[in-house]
């Protein structure tokens, strides 16, 4: 009898260990995210932006970055963007003007520091400080606009999405996302128009066995990212993001003051509808 009881106990332990990853993945993702909000910790990410058309797909942007957390959420970010193709004829002109060869944005609180990009720093400086600035520079509008490191944004996707295992797939309007996401609200100095707020993006979010975001794919509609060029009505922009190193040490600091020129605060301006 003792052997039988011991066997049952061993089998129970084995089943518990095997079930642990499933239980972790099925835990509330928002709670799992908030548990990561420890000062000096964060997460790293990479993403790729691709123009998707019937004629073919063209990858034209790649980014690497990190978010640093505090007790209440994101307190700093560091994002570097690089253009990956010499042939930009596939990129909508409504987006191409935002993209340079490479740029980097460090954001501490609500202060953004730009290196490269459209705005040149004053003579003798290499960075521009922009109070209440963009989250990831001008190219940020062409990259991942959905920030699942924000609890409210993650909750919105979990609520809107249909779950299959550890993956949630669905759609959400830019207007609904803007209401809950500081990252999107500060993605550009140009306000999202009423027409664009009604536009809907599609998403596929996959969680890791730890219940935290692992992969996010978003597809933006033509109304916000495709332009209105005749014959290109099928054109869409797709961004795939991978998250790694949850809970790792992340320390993001502002550039040295001697290297920074201050451009002053710039108020958002209206988009005035589609982007060309």
């Amino acid at each position: 009898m003792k052997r039988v009881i011991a066997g049952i106990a061993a089998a129970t332990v084995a089943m518990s260990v095997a079930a642990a990853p499933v239980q972790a993945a099925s835990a509330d993702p928002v709670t799992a995210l908030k548990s990561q909000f420890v000062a000096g910790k964060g997460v790293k990410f990479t993403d790729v932006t691709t123009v998707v058309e019937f004629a073919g797909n063209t990858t034209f942007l790649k980014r690497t970055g990190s978010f640093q957390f505090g007790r209440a959420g994101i307190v700093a970010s560091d994002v570097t963007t690089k253009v990956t193709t010499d042939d930009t004829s596939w990129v909508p002109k409504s987006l191409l003007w935002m993209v340079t060869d490479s740029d980097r944005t460090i954001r501490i609180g609500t202060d953004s520091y730009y290196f490269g990009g459209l705005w040149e720093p004053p003579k003798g400086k290499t960075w521009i400080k922009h109070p209440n600035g963009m989250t990831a520079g001008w190219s940020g509008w062409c990259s991942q606009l959905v920030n699942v490191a924000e609890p409210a944004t993650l909750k919105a996707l979990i609520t809107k999405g249909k779950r299959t295992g550890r993956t949630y797939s669905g759609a959400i309007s830019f207007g609904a996302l803007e209401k809950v996401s500081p990252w999107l609200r500060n993605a550009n100095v140009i306000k999202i128009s009423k027409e664009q707020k009604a536009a809907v993006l599609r998403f596929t979010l996959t969680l890791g066995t730890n219940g935290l975001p692992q992969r996010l794919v978003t597809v933006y509609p033509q109304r916000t990212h495709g332009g209105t060029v005749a014959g290109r009505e099928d054109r869409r922009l797709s961004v795939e993001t991978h998250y790694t190193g949850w809970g790792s040490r992340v320390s993001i600091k502002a550039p040295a003051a001697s290297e920074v020129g201050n451009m002053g605060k710039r108020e958002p301006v209206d988009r005035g509808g589609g982007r060309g």
Side-chain angles (χ1 to χ4, degrees):
M1 177 62 72
K2 290 182 178 180
R3 290 181 179 179
V4 173
I5 293 174
I8 294 173
T12 301
V13 171
M15 289 175 63
S16 299
V17 172
V22 177
Q23 291 172 349
S26 61
D28 177 23
V30 177
T31 300
L33 173 61
K34 289 182 177 179
S35 72
Q36 298 293 306
F37 293 164
V38 177
K41 302 294 185 178
V43 65
K44 297 176 176 61
F45 67 88
T46 59
D47 60 42
V48 176
T49 302
T50 303
V51 177
V52 180
E53 305 187 84
F54 179 76
N57 301 340
T58 303
T59 295
F60 73 99
L61 280 183
K62 288 187 177 181
R63 297 196 310 176
T64 58
S66 57
F67 297 123
Q68 180 181 335
F69 298 141
R71 296 179 63 183
I74 299 171
V75 296
S77 58
D78 187 350
V79 183
T80 298
T81 306
K82 291 186 178 181
V83 175
T84 59
T85 178
D86 292 329
D87 181 11
T88 56
S89 61
W90 293 89
V91 183
K93 291 182 180 179
S94 56
L95 303 177
L96 188 58
W97 68 275
M98 298 181 180
V99 180
T100 56
D101 289 339
S102 64
D103 61 72
R104 181 182 178 191
T105 301
I106 293 176
R107 199 165 198 255
I108 310 292
T110 60
D111 290 337
S112 296
Y113 298 85
Y114 309 132
F115 180 92
L118 296 178
W119 289 327
E120 293 186 5
K123 186 176 180 180
K125 307 294 183 180
T126 53
W127 292 83
I128 296 178
K129 181 180 180 181
H130 185 182
N132 299 297
M134 295 179 285
T135 48
W138 284 105
S139 62
W141 185 255
C142 306
S143 303
Q144 188 58 268
L145 294 170
V146 182
N147 190 341
V148 291
E150 297 174 327
T153 298
L154 178 59
K155 182 179 180 179
L157 267 57
I158 296 298
T159 302
K160 294 279 188 181
K162 179 180 179 180
R163 180 180 173 183
T164 304
R166 292 188 282 115
T167 298
Y168 294 80
S169 299
I172 187 171
S173 70
F174 272 81
L177 190 60
E178 184 190 43
K179 288 180 181 179
V180 300
S181 175
W183 185 266
L184 177 60
R185 288 197 297 272
N186 294 283
N188 209 320
V189 294
I190 307 173
K191 289 182 180 179
I192 300 176
S193 70
K194 183 177 180 180
E195 178 188 10
Q196 290 170 329
K197 287 181 180 180
V200 173
L201 65 85
R202 302 197 309 274
F203 66 86
T204 300
L205 170 65
T206 300
L207 305 178
T209 55
N210 56 4
L212 295 166
Q214 183 180 63
R215 176 177 179 265
L216 174 65
V217 178
T218 50
V219 180
Y220 303 141
Q222 186 184 49
R223 190 181 303 179
T224 59
H225 285 81
T228 55
V229 179
R232 295 289 181 88
E233 291 81 3
D234 65 322
R235 183 168 53 192
R236 300 291 183 271
L237 210 67
S238 176
V239 185
E240 180 173 350
T241 305
H242 291 263
Y243 303 89
T244 59
W246 286 99
S248 60
R249 181 166 180 77
V250 176
S251 178
I252 299 172
K253 301 183 183 301
S258 60
E259 300 176 2
V260 177
N262 196 331
M263 65 179 288
K265 180 179 179 180
R266 291 199 176 192
E267 296 295 337
V269 296
D270 290 322
R271 290 178 183 271
R275 302 180 65 82

